[in-house]
Amino acid sequence: MATADGGVAVLDPALRQKYIEERNKRLRPEGITQFLKLADSTQFKYLQEDPWVDHAAFNAKPPPVSDGDDIKFLVMGAGYGGLLFAVRLIEVGFRAADIRLIDDAGGFGGTWYWNRYPGLMCDVESYIYMPLLEETGYMPRFKYAYGTELREHADRIAAKWELTGKTLFRSRCHDAEWDDVAKRWILHITEHRGPAEPKREIRLKAQYVYVATGILNAPHIPRLPGFDQFKGQHFHTSRWDYKITGGSDLDWTLDKLKGKTVGIIGTGATAVQAIPQLAKWAKHLYVFQRTPSSVDVRGQRPTDPDEWTNKIASTKGWQCARSENFNSQLVNAPISEDLVDDGWSHTLSYCGVIGGPGIVSPDNIPEHIAKLHEYDLPRAERVRRRVNEVIRDPEVAERLKPWYPAWCKRPTFHDDYLPVFNRPNVTLVDTDGHGVDALTDDALVANSTSYPIDVLVLSTGYAMHVVEGSGSLAQRAGVKVTGRDGLSMDEKWGREGAASLHGMAAHGFPNFFFPGPNQIGATANFTFALSLIASHIATTLAEAERRVDQSDRLTIEVTRAAEEAWTGEILMRSGWFAGVSGCTPGYMNMEGAAVAVQDQMKAARGAFWGEGMLSYVEVLKAWRAEGGLKGFQIDANN
Ligand code: FAD
Ligand code: NDP
């Protein structure tokens, strides 16, 4: 749906040319297959292991589930998404005793469990990002919480709602099959019990399944010639190896890097946070850049307890109101004063990727993209000016400037990142969009130059789009999902593309729910969407059970007509996202891969709700107010 020029026709001709050139030089014919399929790799097997888990402690305790157990609610994933669902179930009256969570991690937190790199923090204000602050009475220590506090908060939520003893950690679900006679999902789970004990295979039955397995937790690695010869140490940022760097997730004293030459590949949101820490300790740091991030002002500060009590958290319902206020700023539909008032709430063009008010028809696309650029340009110019102001060497400054609008890559915010490039022990190796060429036994090769390094940090992101296959929710989660009448979720998705009601449930998969990521409303604040969806499904289930005398065999399933109707609504609004396919490559546009004409409709079916989060909230509210659970077929007597 992109315009032929990638949607930049409204820009000044020289700038327009620059955006197009910079994008084109990054297009790679191999698209997402430039990344390794980790399942096939022995070298990166460590990415499938959990460096943080304490197996001995787990093995000493009785597990919270036994083989053959019949559970009412099985929640896959114990990150904020899974926890929020469990909490919302309890809030609407279900018993905590009927809930079990499983996660292949060794603790709560998902993203915040796995990622422990130095510098880790949330980019959305913690007062709206950290879920359930009002309910837990917790005041975040900083405006942008650091990783440890975010992980501790997951533990806090689990403890408050008594979910700690109900979660099976170190356990991965790989198969979920609907048994229509028993009216249960049959789940096959492998519990990893550490190197000293055999794995335990567990089979569970569950009446309802919720899949909160996240979208940014499968690390990916570029295919680089010579990687298998590289003799230096290496790790991915999502499995930071403090044995190599020194320090710990609680203490970023990376003293083992003293005297070492370090290379880091990638300059995305993770690298922007980790690089200032690496630069403090490495003898020399080479930053291998393919595309610069846009780096805006952060303005980190400790929370002022007086401001917290008397202003931020002073009224009942403040967190939801503040979140909604943020969402409205993001889509240029302010409902009152900008409460968060930060770099994010001023990123007015981010609505290009999360949707916004109004429906964009094919005829309106050029005007729509023009409007987005109008929102974007002042910020883009300010961000580029900031580079000039901070960086002393004009040539380096030029290399650090992003030449794409803010909706193309998640914008970043940091006060210490750019100044790093003024340090004598840091070299920016800009590859002019080409990326690193190869590795040798002791060096990284880029721009036909060899850079000897001792330690390589891979800040190369996540497999947001699976390298091969349908890209269904099931495939992302690594679970073979088989619904009613043997229907495979992958086959259905591969054949037709995404289909759901509200982005949360699909025909053929009774009692099976998920928080998108396709066909839902989006915002920059992930936890807002996770919380909203969890509430919506919990309320729906409570209402379904209220209608029947005997809920043990209740099934609730989206009708075919309802999912096609919702998908039609999604398609009708998908014009909003026309600017994304013209973006510089990245995970938002499948690394710039060209989508074959016959697959374009399929891809469009997977879009977010084009009218944005404010509208999505209203649509869900109106649906609940109607009261008929419209679009679901409910049966308890079969
Ligand atoms: P996750 O946190 O990814 O948790 C999913 C869990 O499910 C994981 O522990 C995973 O191991 C487990 N799992 C997956 N498959 C299976 C399976 N088959 N069986 C069992 N368990 C399984 N968003 C923001 O809005 N603001 C931010 O500042 C922000 N910062 C981020 C920083 C980083 C480094 C990353 C990677 C992401 C960030 N995000 C941010 C996005 C973040 O992922 C979400 O905000 C949110 O934490 C997602 O929660 P989740 O529970 O849906 O998924
Ligand atoms: P990204 O996918 O954003 O970045 C990966 C980086 O690796 C890019 O700079 C990419 O370049 C680069 N890269 C990949 N292959 C090569 C190659 N062959 N040669 C050179 N460079 C290469 O991953 P991140 O982990 O940084 O972030 C992923 C997402 O996680 C974010 O978008 C955000 O949603 C979330 N996040 C949020 C944070 C927060 O602020 N709280 C912190 C960290 C992550 P190119 O751009 O050219 O593809």
Side-chain angles (χ1 to χ4, degrees), residues 117-123 144 146 252 268-277 280 293-300 343 379 386 390 411-420:
Y117 59 80
L120 174 65
M121 64 206 285
C122 56
D123 64 351
Y144 306 96
Y146 293 100
W252 301 334
T270 296
V272 165
Q273 295 182 343
I275 283 170
Q277 303 302 325
K280 280 187 205 164
S293 270
S294 80
V295 190
D296 206 347
V297 172
R298 177 68 303 177
Q300 171 68 310
R379 179 188 188 275
R386 183 171 182 239
V390 175
T412 70
F413 309 89
H414 214 286
D415 297 332
D416 303 328
Y417 176 72
L418 290 174
V420 151

Coordinates of all heavy atoms in Angstrom, one line a residue, residues 117-123 144 146 252 268-277 280 293-300 343 379 386 390 411-420:
Y117 N 20.9 -6.6 30.7 CA 22.2 -5.9 30.3 C 22.4 -4.6 31.1 O 21.4 -4.1 31.5 CB 22.1 -5.7 28.8 CG 21.0 -4.9 28.2 CD1 21.0 -3.5 28.3 CD2 19.9 -5.5 27.6 CE1 19.9 -2.7 27.8 CE2 18.8 -4.8 27.1 CZ 18.9 -3.4 27.2 OH 17.8 -2.7 26.7
P118 N 23.6 -4.2 31.2 CA 23.8 -3.0 31.9 C 23.2 -1.8 31.2 O 23.3 -1.7 29.9 CB 25.4 -2.9 31.9 CG 25.9 -3.7 30.8 CD 24.9 -4.8 30.6
G119 N 22.5 -1.0 31.9 CA 21.9 0.2 31.2 C 20.4 0.0 31.0 O 19.7 0.9 30.6
L120 N 19.9 -1.3 31.2 CA 18.5 -1.6 30.8 C 17.5 -0.8 31.6 O 17.6 -0.7 32.9 CB 18.3 -3.1 31.1 CG 16.9 -3.6 31.0 CD1 16.4 -3.6 29.5 CD2 16.8 -5.1 31.5
M121 N 16.6 -0.2 30.9 CA 15.5 0.6 31.6 C 14.3 0.6 30.6 O 14.5 0.3 29.4 CB 16.0 2.0 31.9 CG 16.3 2.8 30.7 SD 17.5 4.1 31.0 CE 16.5 5.3 31.9
C122 N 13.2 0.9 31.1 CA 12.0 1.1 30.2 C 12.1 2.4 29.5 O 12.6 3.4 30.1 CB 10.7 0.9 30.9 SG 10.4 1.9 32.3
D123 N 11.6 2.5 28.3 CA 11.6 3.7 27.6 C 10.3 4.5 27.8 O 10.3 5.7 27.6 CB 12.0 3.5 26.1 CG 10.9 2.8 25.3 OD1 10.0 2.2 25.9 OD2 11.1 2.7 24.1
Y144 N 12.0 6.6 34.7 CA 12.2 5.4 33.8 C 12.9 4.4 34.6 O 14.1 4.5 34.9 CB 13.0 5.8 32.5 CG 12.3 7.0 31.9 CD1 12.8 8.3 32.1 CD2 11.2 6.9 31.1 CE1 12.1 9.4 31.6 CE2 10.5 8.0 30.5 CZ 11.0 9.2 30.8 OH 10.3 10.3 30.3
Y146 N 14.7 1.1 36.0 CA 15.8 0.2 35.5 C 15.3 -1.2 35.6 O 14.3 -1.6 36.2 CB 17.1 0.4 36.3 CG 17.7 1.8 36.1 CD1 17.4 2.8 37.0 CD2 18.4 2.1 34.9 CE1 17.9 4.1 36.7 CE2 18.8 3.4 34.7 CZ 18.6 4.4 35.6 OH 19.1 5.6 35.3
W252 N 26.8 -2.7 37.7 CA 27.3 -2.6 36.3 C 28.8 -2.3 36.3 O 29.3 -1.4 35.5 CB 26.5 -1.6 35.5 CG 25.1 -2.0 35.4 CD1 24.5 -3.2 35.5 CD2 24.0 -1.1 35.2 NE1 23.2 -3.2 35.4 CE2 22.8 -1.9 35.2 CE3 23.9 0.3 35.0 CZ2 21.5 -1.3 35.0 CZ3 22.6 0.8 34.8 CH2 21.5 0.1 34.8
G268 N 20.4 -0.4 17.8 CA 19.0 -0.2 18.1 C 18.8 0.2 19.6 O 19.7 0.6 20.3
A269 N 17.5 0.0 20.0 CA 17.1 0.5 21.4 C 18.0 -0.1 22.5 O 18.3 0.5 23.5 CB 15.7 0.2 21.6
T270 N 18.3 -1.4 22.3 CA 19.1 -2.1 23.3 C 20.5 -1.5 23.3 O 21.1 -1.1 24.4 CB 19.2 -3.6 23.0 OG1 17.9 -4.2 23.1 CG2 20.2 -4.3 24.0
A271 N 21.1 -1.4 22.2 CA 22.5 -0.9 22.1 C 22.6 0.5 22.7 O 23.6 0.9 23.3 CB 23.0 -1.0 20.7
V272 N 21.6 1.3 22.4 CA 21.7 2.7 22.9 C 21.8 2.8 24.4 O 22.5 3.6 25.0 CB 20.4 3.5 22.4 CG1 20.2 4.8 23.1 CG2 20.5 3.7 20.9
Q273 N 21.2 1.8 25.1 CA 21.3 1.7 26.5 C 22.6 1.1 27.0 O 23.1 1.5 28.0 CB 20.1 1.0 27.1 CG 18.8 1.7 26.8 CD 17.5 1.0 27.4 OE1 17.6 -0.2 27.8 NE2 16.4 1.7 27.5
A274 N 23.0 0.1 26.3 CA 24.2 -0.7 26.7 C 25.5 0.0 26.4 O 26.5 -0.2 27.2 CB 24.2 -2.1 26.1
I275 N 25.6 0.7 25.3 CA 26.9 1.2 24.8 C 27.5 2.2 25.8 O 28.7 2.1 26.1 CB 26.7 1.8 23.4 CG1 26.7 0.7 22.4 CG2 27.8 2.9 23.1 CD1 26.3 1.1 21.0
P276 N 26.8 3.1 26.5 CA 27.4 4.0 27.4 C 28.1 3.2 28.6 O 29.1 3.6 29.1 CB 26.2 4.8 28.0 CG 25.2 4.8 26.9 CD 25.3 3.5 26.2
Q277 N 27.5 2.0 28.9 CA 28.1 1.2 30.0 C 29.4 0.5 29.5 O 30.4 0.5 30.2 CB 27.1 0.2 30.5 CG 25.8 0.8 31.0 CD 26.0 1.8 32.1 OE1 26.8 1.6 33.0 NE2 25.2 2.8 32.1
K280 N 32.4 2.8 29.3 CA 33.1 3.2 30.6 C 34.3 2.2 30.9 O 35.2 2.5 31.6 CB 32.1 3.1 31.7 CG 31.2 4.3 31.8 CD 30.4 4.1 33.1 CE 29.1 4.9 33.0 NZ 28.1 4.5 34.0
S293 N 20.2 4.9 15.2 CA 18.9 5.2 15.9 C 18.6 6.6 15.9 O 19.6 7.4 15.9 CB 19.0 4.6 17.3 OG 18.6 3.3 17.4
S294 N 17.4 7.0 16.1 CA 17.1 8.4 16.4 C 17.1 8.5 17.9 O 16.4 7.7 18.6 CB 15.8 8.9 15.8 OG 14.7 8.5 16.6
V295 N 17.9 9.4 18.4 CA 18.2 9.4 19.9 C 17.7 10.8 20.4 O 18.4 11.8 20.1 CB 19.6 9.2 20.2 CG1 19.8 9.0 21.7 CG2 20.2 8.0 19.5
D296 N 16.7 10.8 21.1 CA 16.1 12.1 21.6 C 16.5 12.2 23.1 O 17.0 11.3 23.7 CB 14.6 12.0 21.5 CG 14.0 13.4 21.4 OD1 14.7 14.4 21.7 OD2 12.8 13.6 21.0
V297 N 16.2 13.3 23.7 CA 16.5 13.6 25.1 C 15.7 12.7 26.0 O 14.5 12.4 25.7 CB 16.1 15.1 25.4 CG1 16.2 15.4 26.9 CG2 16.9 16.0 24.6
R298 N 16.3 12.2 27.1 CA 15.6 11.3 28.0 C 15.1 12.1 29.2 O 13.9 12.0 29.5 CB 16.6 10.2 28.5 CG 16.1 9.3 29.5 CD 15.0 8.3 29.1 NE 13.8 9.0 28.5 CZ 12.8 8.3 28.0 NH1 12.8 7.0 28.0 NH2 11.7 8.9 27.5
G299 N 16.0 12.8 29.9 CA 15.5 13.5 31.1 C 15.1 12.5 32.3 O 14.1 12.7 32.9
Q300 N 16.0 11.6 32.5 CA 15.8 10.7 33.6 C 15.9 11.4 34.9 O 16.7 12.4 35.1 CB 16.9 9.6 33.6 CG 17.0 8.7 34.8 CD 15.8 7.7 34.9 OE1 14.6 8.2 34.9 NE2 16.0 6.5 35.1
G343 N 9.8 12.8 25.8 CA 10.1 12.6 24.4 C 9.1 11.7 23.7 O 8.8 12.0 22.5
R379 N 10.5 17.0 14.7 CA 11.3 16.1 15.6 C 12.6 15.6 15.0 O 13.6 15.6 15.5 CB 10.4 14.9 16.1 CG 11.2 14.0 17.0 CD 10.4 12.7 17.3 NE 11.0 11.9 18.3 CZ 12.0 11.1 18.1 NH1 12.4 10.8 16.8 NH2 12.6 10.4 19.1
R386 N 20.5 17.8 17.3 CA 21.1 17.4 18.6 C 22.4 16.7 18.4 O 23.4 16.8 19.1 CB 20.1 16.5 19.3 CG 20.5 16.1 20.7 CD 19.4 15.4 21.5 NE 19.9 15.0 22.8 CZ 19.9 13.8 23.3 NH1 19.5 12.8 22.6 NH2 20.3 13.6 24.5
V390 N 26.0 17.7 20.0 CA 26.7 16.9 21.0 C 28.1 16.4 20.5 O 29.1 16.4 21.2 CB 25.9 15.7 21.4 CG1 26.6 14.7 22.3 CG2 24.6 16.1 22.1
P411 N 11.7 4.8 18.3 CA 12.6 5.9 18.6 C 13.3 5.7 20.0 O 12.7 5.0 20.8 CB 11.7 7.1 18.7 CG 10.3 6.6 18.8 CD 10.3 5.2 18.3
T412 N 14.5 6.2 20.2 CA 15.1 6.0 21.4 C 15.3 7.3 22.1 O 15.3 8.4 21.5 CB 16.5 5.3 21.3 OG1 17.4 6.2 20.6 CG2 16.4 4.0 20.4
F413 N 15.6 7.2 23.4 CA 15.8 8.4 24.3 C 16.9 8.2 25.2 O 16.9 7.2 26.0 CB 14.5 8.6 25.1 CG 13.2 8.6 24.2 CD1 12.6 7.4 23.9 CD2 12.8 9.8 23.6 CE1 11.5 7.4 23.1 CE2 11.7 9.8 22.8 CZ 11.0 8.6 22.5
H414 N 18.0 9.0 25.2 CA 19.1 8.7 26.0 C 19.9 10.0 26.2 O 20.2 10.6 25.2 CB 19.9 7.5 25.5 CG 20.6 6.7 26.6 ND1 21.6 7.2 27.3 CD2 20.3 5.5 27.1 CE1 21.9 6.3 28.2 NE2 21.1 5.2 28.1
D415 N 20.4 10.2 27.4 CA 21.3 11.4 27.6 C 22.7 11.1 27.5 O 23.6 12.0 27.3 CB 20.9 12.1 28.9 CG 19.5 12.5 28.9 OD1 18.9 12.8 27.8 OD2 18.8 12.6 30.0
D416 N 23.1 9.8 27.6 CA 24.6 9.5 27.6 C 25.1 8.8 26.4 O 26.3 8.5 26.2 CB 24.9 8.6 28.8 CG 24.4 9.2 30.1 OD1 24.5 10.4 30.2 OD2 24.0 8.4 31.1
Y417 N 24.1 8.4 25.5 CA 24.6 7.7 24.3 C 25.4 8.5 23.3 O 26.6 8.1 23.1 CB 23.4 7.1 23.6 CG 23.7 6.4 22.3 CD1 24.3 5.1 22.3 CD2 23.4 6.9 21.0 CE1 24.6 4.4 21.1 CE2 23.7 6.2 19.9 CZ 24.3 5.0 19.9 OH 24.7 4.3 18.8
L418 N 24.9 9.6 22.9 CA 25.7 10.3 21.9 C 27.0 10.8 22.4 O 28.1 10.7 21.7 CB 24.8 11.5 21.3 CG 23.6 11.1 20.5 CD1 22.8 12.4 20.1 CD2 24.1 10.4 19.2
P419 N 27.1 11.3 23.6 CA 28.4 11.8 24.1 C 29.5 10.7 24.1 O 30.7 11.0 24.0 CB 28.2 12.3 25.5 CG 26.7 12.5 25.6 CD 26.1 11.6 24.6
V420 N 29.1 9.4 24.1 CA 30.1 8.3 24.1 C 31.0 8.5 22.9 O 32.2 8.1 23.0 CB 29.3 7.0 24.0 CG1 30.0 5.9 23.3 CG2 28.9 6.6 25.4

